[in-house]
Amino acid sequence: MNVKFSTRARQDFGALSPRLKASVRKQFALLQQNLRHPSLQAKKYDEGNDIWQGRVNRNYRFYFQIADDDYIIPRIIPHPK
């Protein structure tokens, strides 16, 4: 599976600290290996629009859709608590 960023996700990623960028890269590598990896805590976020949520760390989440062999990332944002 490939990870593809939307324009907005590229902007979100670019605004992150170097430490957060490293965490995002690590989580995306895990996502490519195993959607059900425990540290991702991946779950359906919006069933109607087929949007999933994954965990970067305690404070950040990323959203994604699955299309063929791609994970399409629309956003990487602070956790909406």
Side-chain angles (χ1 to χ4, degrees):
M1 298 286 277
N2 302 305
V3 174
K4 295 187 176 183
F5 289 83
S6 70
T7 301
R8 183 65 193 171
R10 286 185 204 286
Q11 293 170 347
D12 293 342
F13 184 79
L16 299 175
S17 70
R19 176 178 252 166
L20 268 173
K21 286 180 183 178
S23 294
V24 169
R25 285 185 191 105
K26 176 184 155 277
Q27 294 302 88
F28 286 165
L30 292 173
L31 178 65
Q32 288 178 293
Q33 294 170 14
N34 179 8
L35 172 63
R36 299 291 178 200
H37 192 281
S39 76
L40 291 171
Q41 297 180 6
K43 62 183 179 182
K44 274 284 181 120
Y45 178 76
D46 182 344
E47 188 81 34
N49 292 311
D50 197 32
I51 297 175
W52 291 68
Q53 180 188 67
R55 184 177 196 265
V56 174
N57 62 23
R58 174 180 232 169
N59 299 313
Y60 272 82
R61 300 293 185 267
F62 64 92
Y63 297 86
F64 63 98
Q65 293 177 297
I66 302 170
D68 298 320
D69 287 336
D70 298 323
Y71 292 117
I72 301 167
I73 313 295
R75 295 300 310 262
I76 306 166
I77 61 172
H79 186 272
K81 296 177 186 175

